[in-house]
Amino acid sequence: MLEEKNFLLQRFYIYQQKYSPWKAMMHLMCFYVKIRFSAKRNLTLGPSNSVYMACFCKGGVGDVITQIAFLHHLLKFTKEPIVLFLFVDQRPENIGILASKLPFIKKIYPYIEKNKYLHLFDIVLTLNTQFPCFFIQNYGKCQKFAPVLLSYIQESCKWNETHKGIVAIASMFSAQYWCLVHKKTMLTAMDTPNKLNLDKNAGFPIELQQADIVNVLEKFKLKNKKIITVQYSTDINNLPFSGKSIKFYPLKHWQKMLSMLKALYPSYTIVQLGVSGNEEMPGVDLRLIGQTSFYEYLVLLQYSALHIDQEGGAAHIRHYLCRKPTVVLFGPTSHKVRGYDENINLRIPTCGLELCEWLDGNRWYETCPKYNDSVCSCLEKISPEMVVETIRNSHILKEENPA
């Protein structure tokens, strides 16, 4: 019940950015009715010779897309008749677009629907923390139709029991440092039995239609233009109720950095992406906050020559979508756990820690532990000059006005 309350409070904050308090409350009520009655009351699973697994995917879109990558490789490994139903802490229709090429995912529901059909599934998988937690509800059926998966689950459960001190959600900070010590990423750490041969660049197929790409570029008058995309958000569902996050790169730095980029690369159009409620970034050429569908957002992310962002959902989506370079500005999280090889990962650990994610429990997202401030000292130390010089040295963009 507490999860549902927090989810609705965050949604109310989003509506408040756009509407009056009264209208925001009306939109929230409509949203609540929609998610409560969107799922069929009588859920039909399918043939009796398949194993049905409910997967609770908690977190931002970066977490969920990584969890889907894990599930993709897990089912490739088992090669058994397993059907997944996802319950996600994101818009189900958005996750459906990302997972549209994965036939083993039958249905995606809002996370707060998760308790309705719990008794129907043979296996329940919780992905609320760094490490998967499996619960078998129909051992006989799993033994008959999915013995490889059953063996994997038994090894995973044994690992969790041995490492119970870092598996609980209250131990997320310790879990992140376990990843650092063992050179694991947020993806590879999920494979606790070490059976899937994962590396940090393992992915799954996401495909956008060429005709749709052309239509989106024409709609926003970007066809045949070179673009750089930027974003001043991390993941709207994870925003603290204040609307701020220490994962944000300071706006004053953005302004100077974008001005320098425009002087150096004048033929590139700088496009701000994001959702309603994001702050406007000074110095962009085209501002598309709240003006794109999720599919259009994906098209622009894939099309851009370079994306620049704080560590968050967009950087993870772009990795799985196209593997094109992103400049990722890290603050409380670690590039060693959440970074990718194709990216420029920038972080200056002013406090001496590799990361401070989860250091202060749920408040880690709001307050820098060193200065007890809403601005991350590690991000502040990444100067605009450093970002631009790093981009320049990478030769990702064609330099037009060499200084």
Side-chain angles (χ1 to χ4, degrees):
M1 191 68 189
L2 181 60
E3 287 176 343
E4 181 173 312
K5 180 181 177 182
N6 286 342
F7 180 81
L8 292 173
L9 282 171
Q10 289 172 328
R11 182 60 51 178
F12 182 62
Y13 169 77
I14 295 169
Y15 291 138
Q16 275 189 312
Q17 306 309 299
K18 195 172 182 180
Y19 307 108
S20 66
W22 183 84
K23 283 189 175 181
M25 181 58 70
M26 294 300 295
H27 277 277
L28 183 68
M29 290 172 62
C30 292
F31 174 77
Y32 182 76
V33 170
K34 182 178 178 181
I35 61 175
R36 271 294 176 197
F37 295 98
S38 61
K40 293 181 180 178
R41 290 294 170 181
N42 298 313
L43 179 66
T44 303
L45 295 179
S48 59
N49 61 348
S50 293
V51 171
Y52 296 93
M53 183 160 67
C55 303
F56 301 155
C57 300
K58 184 79 170 174
V61 68
D63 298 299
V64 173
I65 199 171
T66 305
Q67 292 158 4
I68 291 174
F70 166 72
L71 294 170
H72 169 67
H73 288 279
L74 175 61
L75 268 60
K76 276 181 65 178
F77 168 73
T78 65
K79 299 182 174 67
E80 292 171 328
I82 303 160
V83 180
L84 304 186
F85 288 73
L86 305 189
F87 295 81
V88 300
D89 198 23
Q90 296 288 319
R91 291 181 179 273
E93 60 270 24
N94 292 350
I95 302 303
I97 292 172
L98 295 171
S100 62
K101 296 297 178 181
L102 304 179
F104 54 83
I105 296 177
K106 184 170 181 179
K107 187 73 176 178
I108 303 175
Y109 292 100
Y111 190 83
I112 61 174
E113 297 274 345
K114 66 186 177 67
N115 293 325
K116 280 186 187 177
Y117 312 113
L118 196 59
H119 62 288
L120 297 176
F121 295 99
D122 305 311
I123 303 169
V124 175
L125 169 59
T126 301
L127 295 168
N128 291 4
T129 63
Q130 178 62 68
F131 308 109
C133 294
F134 292 92
F135 181 74
I136 299 174
Q137 300 196 131
N138 191 333
Y139 185 90
K141 191 176 180 184
C142 294
Q143 195 173 38
K144 182 176 181 180
F145 296 112
V148 177
L149 177 62
L150 179 60
S151 175
Y152 183 92
I153 290 174
Q154 289 170 333
E155 289 191 48
S156 176
C157 292
K158 189 180 296 184
W159 190 95
N160 286 357
E161 181 64 25
T162 306
H163 297 80
K164 63 175 65 175
I166 62 171
V167 169
I169 195 164
S171 305
M172 284 292 284
F173 179 69
S174 299
Q176 299 304 297
Y177 261 90
W178 181 93
C179 292
L180 287 173
V181 169
H182 292 274
K183 294 182 168 58
K184 298 286 187 178
T185 67
M186 59 188 295
L187 173 61
T188 61
M190 298 176 76
D191 178 27
T192 51
N194 279 321
K195 296 286 188 182
L196 307 184
N197 295 318
L198 292 177
D199 64 50
K200 64 179 179 180
N201 294 308
F204 65 94
I206 304 175
E207 185 179 324
L208 305 179
Q209 298 300 316
Q210 186 59 39
D212 294 337
I213 294 173
V214 172
N215 290 338
V216 171
L217 295 177
E218 288 179 343
K219 174 180 177 179
F220 296 110
K221 298 180 173 55
L222 293 171
K223 188 178 179 182
N224 298 324
K225 288 188 177 181
K226 297 181 294 185
I227 71 170
I228 299 168
T229 48
V230 295
Q231 188 166 328
Y232 190 73
S233 64
T234 55
D235 191 295
I236 196 68
N237 280 6
N238 274 356
L239 279 179
F241 300 143
S242 65
K244 300 294 184 182
S245 167
I246 60 168
K247 292 177 79 175
F248 288 173
Y249 191 55
L251 274 175
K252 61 182 181 181
H253 285 4
W254 274 112
Q255 183 173 13
K256 186 172 184 181
M257 183 242 291
L258 295 180
S259 176
M260 294 171 68
L261 284 176
K262 286 172 72 172
L264 198 57
Y265 307 103
S267 68
Y268 284 81
T269 300
I270 299 177
V271 181
Q272 182 182 1
L273 304 177
V275 296
S276 297
N278 289 168
E279 289 195 55
E280 296 184 355
M281 299 170 68
V284 300
D285 300 308
L286 179 62
R287 189 171 288 114
L288 295 179
I289 299 173
Q291 296 183 42
T292 68
S293 66
F294 186 69
Y295 192 90
E296 292 169 340
Y297 173 83
L298 295 180
V299 167
L300 295 174
L301 264 186
Q302 178 176 283
Y303 179 73
S304 64
L306 179 67
H307 182 70
I308 310 172
D309 208 340
Q310 297 86 190
E311 187 275 309
H316 298 289
I317 290 174
R318 187 163 153 101
H319 167 74
Y320 288 106
L321 182 63
C322 61
R323 304 293 170 93
K324 292 171 73 175
T326 299
V327 175
V328 187
L329 308 168
F330 283 84
T333 55
S334 171
H335 65 282
K336 295 178 181 177
V337 178
R338 295 179 174 267
Y340 304 106
D341 288 345
E342 74 271 13
N343 293 342
I344 297 172
N345 301 305
L346 298 178
R347 186 174 190 270
I348 301 177
T350 60
C351 57
L353 293 174
E354 283 285 353
L355 56 84
C356 61
E357 181 183 11
W358 295 105
L359 176 61
D360 195 16
N362 290 330
R363 291 189 69 241
W364 75 268
Y365 211 91
E366 301 182 52
T367 308
C368 174
K370 183 172 184 179
Y371 297 109
N372 196 31
D373 195 0
S374 59
V375 177
C376 176
S377 61
C378 297
L379 274 172
E380 270 211 307
K381 290 295 182 182
I382 303 175
S383 68
E385 292 82 2
M386 177 184 176
V387 178
V388 173
E389 189 61 25
T390 305
I391 292 172
R392 192 175 181 182
N393 291 338
S394 72
H395 304 293
I396 294 169
L397 305 176
K398 183 180 178 183
E399 191 171 341
E400 298 166 8
N401 286 339

